[in-house]
Amino acid sequence: MKKFLLIILLPTLVFASDYKSRFYAGGSISHSKISVSGNGPNGSFCGNGDIHVYGGWEYRLARWFSLSPALGFERNGWSWERAGHEGSVSYFNPYLRLSFDFHVHDFYMNFGGAFGFPFYFGGELDGKNTSDDFPKDFMYSVQLFYSIGYTIKDHYRVGFIQGSEGLLATFHDVLILPIGVYFTYLF
């Protein structure tokens, strides 16, 4: 079995070294809209901070294609004022991410997904805490995204990102639709 894996991995490693596989780190800032359904309060709210920080390895399998696994961390939050009530919700979400990347000269397009485990939910309505049971309620998050950007001087990548994220839970389901900008540094 070890010989078989070595036979498969060796050409991949050789190709990866020929096409500048490298470490990258970056982040994105997005405006998002959240839709909540299930037991309890339902509704749609606009976001005031969807921030992602991530880092990983870009496996450049060909001049025009790469795979990019990464570890990431997200902070997301919303606030609202409706019908005389003010409230806010926020959470933190560490996740594993994988994207399929296409390179055409210095232009860059990708699509991918992520799987995470949200924690530390904070929420309030009219100054009262509403999130004491959230950490026990939410189980995991699933993200899908696509982005388009441009590589500057072989080390900087900037562009636009859009996607969707679902927080799946026992009693609530939350759908988040972010759109924003990203910046990546390639080492």
Side-chain angles (χ1 to χ4, degrees):
M1 184 66 175
K2 290 180 185 177
K3 290 180 183 178
F4 179 71
L5 289 173
L6 184 61
I7 290 170
I8 291 173
L9 289 176
L10 188 59
T12 303
L13 293 173
V14 169
F15 282 128
S17 66
D18 285 347
Y19 292 108
K20 294 185 182 178
S21 293
R22 54 199 167 171
F23 179 75
Y24 68 94
S28 68
I29 299 172
S30 302
H31 176 76
S32 60
K33 182 176 181 182
I34 181 174
S35 297
V36 180
S37 62
N39 296 340
N42 297 322
S44 295
F45 314 102
C46 285
N48 60 2
D50 188 357
I51 300 168
H52 293 258
V53 177
Y54 50 83
W57 188 261
E58 181 179 85
Y59 292 101
R60 195 79 178 255
L61 303 175
R63 183 171 37 94
W64 55 272
F65 178 73
S66 64
L67 291 172
S68 300
L71 293 172
F73 185 78
E74 169 189 21
R75 183 271 176 194
N76 212 332
W78 305 273
S79 61
W80 66 89
E81 186 174 337
R82 182 180 290 170
H85 298 283
E86 292 183 12
S88 65
V89 175
S90 66
Y91 69 91
F92 296 96
N93 184 24
Y95 58 84
L96 296 173
R97 164 182 165 150
L98 177 65
S99 65
F100 300 91
D101 316 318
F102 299 93
H103 309 266
V104 179
H105 298 288
D106 287 333
F107 289 97
Y108 172 82
M109 296 173 289
N110 78 348
F111 65 92
F115 182 81
F117 293 98
F119 71 98
Y120 184 71
F121 286 85
E124 67 176 44
L125 181 62
D126 296 331
K128 295 179 183 174
N129 187 351
T130 62
S131 57
D132 288 338
D133 62 341
F134 271 26
K136 295 172 256 174
D137 187 23
F138 282 91
M139 298 186 297
Y140 58 91
S141 71
V142 176
Q143 302 173 28
L144 297 173
F145 62 88
Y146 66 91
S147 67
I148 187 165
Y150 188 76
T151 304
I152 303 167
K153 295 187 178 183
D154 202 38
H155 286 286
Y156 305 97
R157 191 171 285 152
V158 295
F160 297 99
I161 188 166
Q162 184 174 13
S164 66
E165 179 177 357
L167 299 178
L168 306 173
T170 308
F171 300 110
H172 298 86
D173 289 325
V174 177
L175 176 63
I176 303 153
L177 301 170
I179 183 167
V181 294
Y182 72 90
F183 172 81
T184 303
Y185 182 78
L186 304 160
F187 292 89

